[in-house]
Amino acid sequence: MNASESPSMENKTVVITGANTGIGLATAEALAASGARIIAACRNLEKGRSALERIAQKATGPKPELVALDLSNLASVRGASEKIATLTDAIDVLINNAGLILPRRQTSADGYEMQFATNHLGHFLLTKRLLPLIKQAEQGRIINLSSGAHWGGSIHFDDLMLEKRYGAFRSYGQTKLANILFTRALARRLSDTPITVNAVHPGFVRSNFAADRSKDNHQPLIMRLIAFAAVTPEVGAETSVYLAGSPEGGSVSGEYFAKSRIAPSSKASRDTEIAERLWKVSEDLVGEKFEA
């Protein structure tokens, strides 16, 4: 199945982070074209408003809506979740799509390493905050974008914020592994509910996410080479669209998908002990207990 063949999403409410560009925008357009009501949660509101116009042109259902969300800032995550709760009584699909990679180490407003704050902690807290609305859906779905980069990742519990040794891909691999560990830990906690939770590798996609917060707009050579060989955002969106609307997306939970199929993942991504340790650390860092 590709994005243009997605089942009807009529009367479904979908929240997508980072829906203003790249994979997130392509995902929003495809699901809006299938009838979904899109709530786009974006950091850059200027780009978000422009994206909303594009999404609205494809929409066959309700008009899309925009919510301000900076995933690296926990106060912004809390504010966005409160705003979303005023817009809808139920969320059918939450797609934790946004992400970034930075060539140089930066810190968030809360003092955390920026990639870890944005790619993992922000989505961890947002999901926790939106879970009551997801539980109100007939069959809620949570989709977390990870990456094949998780294969080279480790959770550096002795230096989680990479203050001693930072590398763009060292950080990125850690966060993408964290996305899968979070997916599987949450799926276990929700196993007695109709909610499914799955992780996605979208492929290497043409996107500007690597330079989004870089002050000098510098990209490492390897990122430029990856961009040259990358697939389009529309192709990258296909697995998220598939899991949002397909019967399999509503019956399978705790898995890692690529090209709309369950795919192998690293040994570390299947380590329950690491997942549970990361879960507790994440709760401590966001300052909230995740009651699933």
Side-chain angles (χ1 to χ4, degrees):
M1 173 189 287
N2 59 43
S4 64
E5 297 172 331
S6 60
S8 173
M9 294 291 290
E10 188 177 354
N11 299 320
K12 303 294 185 183
T13 296
V14 181
V15 175
I16 308 176
T17 67
N20 59 302
T21 189
I23 304 168
L25 176 54
T27 303
E29 288 180 310
L31 293 175
S34 298
R37 175 195 183 194
I38 302 296
I39 299 176
C42 306
R43 181 177 64 88
N44 187 318
L45 291 183
E46 182 180 352
K47 290 183 178 179
R49 284 187 282 270
S50 176
L52 234 61
E53 293 178 5
R54 285 185 51 175
I55 297 166
Q57 290 175 0
K58 299 287 182 71
T60 60
K63 286 179 59 178
E65 294 165 276
L66 180 64
V67 172
L69 169 65
D70 182 347
L71 284 160
S72 74
N73 185 317
L74 298 178
S76 176
V77 175
R78 293 184 177 98
S81 66
E82 290 169 3
K83 176 62 176 177
I84 291 168
T86 70
L87 298 176
T88 183
D89 294 328
I91 295 171
D92 296 280
V93 185
L94 169 62
I95 303 180
N96 289 318
N97 163 85
L100 81 169
I101 182 169
L102 297 171
R104 296 180 179 86
R105 187 180 185 277
Q106 298 180 37
T107 54
S108 71
D110 303 290
Y112 302 140
E113 190 274 311
M114 188 67 80
Q115 286 196 66
F116 192 80
T118 303
N119 298 354
H120 171 60
L121 286 179
H123 282 133
F124 180 89
L125 180 59
L126 182 68
T127 305
K128 181 263 181 189
R129 286 268 173 150
L130 295 182
L131 191 57
L133 294 176
I134 299 169
K135 287 181 176 179
Q136 292 304 308
E138 183 178 350
Q139 195 278 297
R141 306 182 186 197
I142 299 168
I143 300 165
N144 298 320
L145 262 71
S146 180
S147 167
H150 86 273
W151 283 89
S154 299
I155 305 299
H156 304 283
F157 288 109
D158 59 338
D159 184 26
L160 201 57
M161 301 304 156
L162 305 184
E163 296 174 283
K164 300 174 185 176
R165 180 184 159 207
Y166 179 83
F169 282 92
R170 190 166 194 256
S171 174
Y172 189 68
Q174 173 174 252
T175 65
K176 295 295 100 180
L177 174 58
N179 295 151
I180 305 178
L181 291 168
F182 170 51
T183 294
R184 291 188 164 137
L186 183 56
R188 285 192 293 273
R189 286 164 170 79
L190 295 174
S191 61
D192 292 333
T193 77
I195 298 171
T196 59
V197 192
N198 289 294
V200 167
H201 170 46
F204 294 111
V205 178
R206 262 173 239 139
S207 172
N208 64 352
F209 83 117
D212 195 40
R213 294 202 182 188
S214 179
K215 294 178 182 178
D216 58 7
N217 206 37
H218 168 77
Q219 285 184 323
L221 175 60
I222 189 169
M223 287 307 301
R224 296 199 295 272
L225 292 174
I226 286 172
F228 179 77
V231 300
T232 65
E234 288 72 24
V235 172
E238 288 178 3
T239 303
S240 293
V241 172
Y242 172 77
L243 287 174
S246 70
E248 185 176 25
S251 61
V252 173
S253 192
E255 295 291 349
Y256 173 71
F257 279 77
K259 296 183 179 179
S260 302
R261 296 181 180 87
I262 295 174
S265 65
S266 70
K267 181 178 179 181
S269 76
R270 293 177 274 110
D271 191 312
T272 302
E273 184 176 343
I274 293 175
E276 292 304 315
R277 185 178 177 187
L278 176 65
W279 185 282
K280 185 179 187 312
V281 169
S282 300
E283 287 184 325
D284 291 342
L285 290 172
V286 303
E288 294 189 25
K289 293 292 183 183
F290 199 129
E291 300 295 337

